[in-house]
Amino acid sequence: TINPLANCYVGSQHAQIKDWYFSKLPTHLVMLERQLFAAGELLGKPSSSGIRVSGIRVDPSSTSSSPSPSLSSARHFFGGATPSHADFNVYHHLSNALLVEPRCVEEVSGELVEWMERMEALPSMKSYLEERPDLVGIGENPGLLDKAGRLVTQRNPEGIAWLKEDGCFTFDNPYSV
């Protein structure tokens, strides 16, 4: 998955796995987009232009899993009108992929970009995204940068870091008595 690529691998290992991962990602993005079609996604308007994967045009309306052109639906998410666990899981993976390759989704699927924007517009998601630490140093020394500017990495000698409600790290265990 994308998680170890973004959070763990460094140097030549990172480069090798990154090349492999992003060579496979477009095919998976097409499948995800087809799932949105199957769920009645795209506000009832199937893509007329199709999707490009490595220069090959894939027309979702030509597959049996795609909706009929007359489909009319108000569903905006993988499971329907409201986001489900699946939406948050997919968002997490695509969001991490964008940290490594910022255009990887838009180069394949404008519909998935629009879905991500809908996810980011959810009030609780928007709040979470504003408060969470930033992932930095991908491929070199991955770590999290909190809102106070403190960097925590796997090589951090202080041990376990706890994220407080204010978006800053502490090394004092808030759960100890």
Side-chain angles (χ1 to χ4, degrees):
T1 70
I2 188 66
N3 294 334
L5 179 61
N7 296 304
C8 302
Y9 291 112
V10 296
S12 61
Q13 262 191 328
H14 178 266
Q16 180 182 10
I17 294 168
K18 177 182 172 184
D19 289 345
W20 174 84
Y21 181 86
F22 287 100
S23 74
K24 305 292 184 194
L25 184 63
T27 301
H28 296 285
L29 293 176
V30 168
M31 288 187 257
L32 282 172
E33 187 172 67
R34 287 180 180 166
Q35 289 298 314
L36 286 174
F37 276 103
E41 177 44 36
L42 305 177
L43 303 175
K45 54 181 183 183
S47 173
S48 59
S49 61
I51 309 158
R52 292 202 174 269
V53 180
S54 302
I56 301 169
R57 185 174 176 278
V58 178
D59 184 357
S61 65
S62 68
T63 67
S64 60
S65 64
S66 297
S68 66
S70 63
L71 178 66
S72 178
S73 172
R75 295 190 291 184
H76 300 267
F77 301 100
F78 281 98
T82 58
S84 67
H85 177 75
D87 290 282
F88 291 99
N89 189 3
V90 171
Y91 180 87
H92 168 76
H93 288 278
L94 294 184
S95 176
N96 278 350
L98 289 171
L99 291 173
V100 180
E101 281 293 329
R103 298 192 52 186
C104 66
V105 176
E106 73 183 59
E107 289 174 348
V108 176
S109 174
E111 287 83 1
L112 285 174
V113 171
E114 291 173 11
W115 168 81
M116 290 186 77
E117 290 169 352
R118 285 193 298 279
M119 290 294 293
E120 292 163 357
L122 297 168
S124 59
M125 179 69 104
K126 186 175 183 174
S127 175
Y128 165 75
L129 293 173
E130 290 170 355
E131 295 170 8
R132 74 175 179 176
D134 294 323
L135 179 58
V136 298
I138 296 171
E140 296 171 8
N141 184 22
L144 297 172
L145 185 64
D146 74 10
K147 299 306 173 197
R150 186 166 190 179
L151 178 65
V152 175
T153 70
Q154 291 182 24
R155 298 177 185 151
N156 190 317
E158 296 186 62
I160 296 174
W162 303 89
L163 185 62
K164 300 185 298 183
E165 289 181 20
D166 63 2
C168 297
F169 291 115
T170 182
F171 290 93
D172 299 323
N173 183 343
Y175 303 107
S176 64
V177 263

